Amino acid sequence: MRRILIMAEMHGRDLTRRHVALGLLVALPLSFYLASSRDSSQALSAGGIGMAFAVSGATLFSVLSSQGVDQQLVLGGYRPIELLVGRLLFLGPLGLVIAAGFTALMSAVSHPARPAVLVLGVALVALQSVPFGLAVGSALPRELEGTLVLIGVVGMQLAVGPDAGVAKVLPFYGPRQLIEAATGNGGAVLVPVAQTAVYGVALLLVARVFMDRHIAVEHHPRIDPPTPTDG
């Protein structure tokens, strides 16, 4: 547990030094929401799903900035699962803090019919964004490629209709159902939550597999020095 807490603190310090980048990540989805605030149903989806870019972007930068340190930590005795859980321990609460700010603003401006469902939907967006960012950052070790994937996935989730086939295989389909249900159109709650949980676990498994590939340490058998012979 001590190692996990150290990892969480390390990532917290790294991200707080990048406060300008974090501010820009939050400003982008916030602008999506404010630009479409006149249409409450579209605005809630734009703000809630767009927030995924902020949280997953922060996660991506956290993963990529620590790649050089990760292997040193593994050599020093850390296990990859400790590195992964340490990131989750910091990034999960960070995502929920961002989600709380977005939810408060959207509730005050758009007045959703079911505010509790909106809170749940936006919170799930934040929580799903962390394993999504971990998976992308572990699979693509460069910021440009990783950022393009984040933009592509979040943008596609916003662009396609909720009933489209491709929307159902994207990571934020469950939270989007909840956010749209918050407008008063009705809809299930438990099913989207379960879908989000299953997708999140799958993304964590992907992140774990790619972490092993990047920071695996190969152990060679010990070779004893030759025994000196008399002569």
Side-chain angles (χ1 to χ4, degrees):
M1 189 62 191
R2 179 174 174 272
R3 291 179 175 180
I4 292 173
L5 291 175
I6 290 173
M7 285 297 304
E9 181 184 4
M10 182 184 75
H11 288 292
R13 290 181 178 180
D14 177 60
L15 281 179
T16 52
R17 288 195 297 265
R18 309 179 74 167
H19 54 276
V20 175
L22 281 176
L24 292 173
L25 285 172
V26 173
L28 182 61
L30 185 60
S31 65
F32 290 164
Y33 169 71
L34 295 175
S36 55
S37 58
R38 293 184 178 179
D39 185 347
S40 60
S41 60
Q42 293 297 324
L44 290 176
S45 294
I49 301 301
M51 188 200 65
F53 182 73
V55 181
S56 58
T59 304
L60 174 70
F61 295 153
S62 177
V63 172
L64 297 183
S65 64
S66 61
Q67 283 185 339
V69 180
D70 286 350
Q71 194 162 38
Q72 297 178 20
L73 292 172
V74 172
L75 286 169
Y78 279 72
R79 293 178 295 174
I81 189 64
E82 293 172 340
L83 307 183
L84 185 62
V85 175
R87 290 189 175 104
L88 290 173
L89 189 62
F90 171 75
L91 293 167
L94 174 65
L96 290 177
V97 169
I98 296 174
F102 268 77
T103 304
L105 176 64
M106 291 191 294
S107 297
V109 175
S110 297
H111 306 290
R114 303 168 69 187
V117 178
L118 177 65
V119 171
L120 178 59
V122 178
L124 287 182
V125 171
L127 294 176
Q128 186 79 306
S129 299
V130 176
F132 175 54
L134 289 173
V136 174
S138 301
L140 300 172
R142 293 183 178 85
E143 287 190 358
L144 177 58
E145 289 85 344
T147 304
L148 289 175
V149 170
L150 299 187
I151 294 173
V153 172
V154 176
M156 188 177 297
Q157 189 83 73
L158 287 169
V160 299
D163 297 328
V166 66
K168 299 178 181 179
V169 299
L170 294 173
F172 303 103
Y173 175 67
R176 181 176 180 177
Q177 289 180 288
L178 292 174
I179 292 172
E180 293 186 349
T183 61
N185 297 328
V189 173
L190 293 179
V191 173
V193 171
Q195 290 173 335
T196 305
V198 171
Y199 212 127
V201 171
L203 289 170
L204 286 176
L205 291 175
V206 171
R208 179 72 172 83
V209 169
F210 279 101
M211 278 185 68
D212 281 343
R213 293 186 180 183
H214 291 309
I215 63 176
V217 177
E218 185 176 355
H219 296 279
H220 297 280
R222 179 178 177 180
I223 300 177
D224 295 326
T227 304
T229 57
D230 297 333

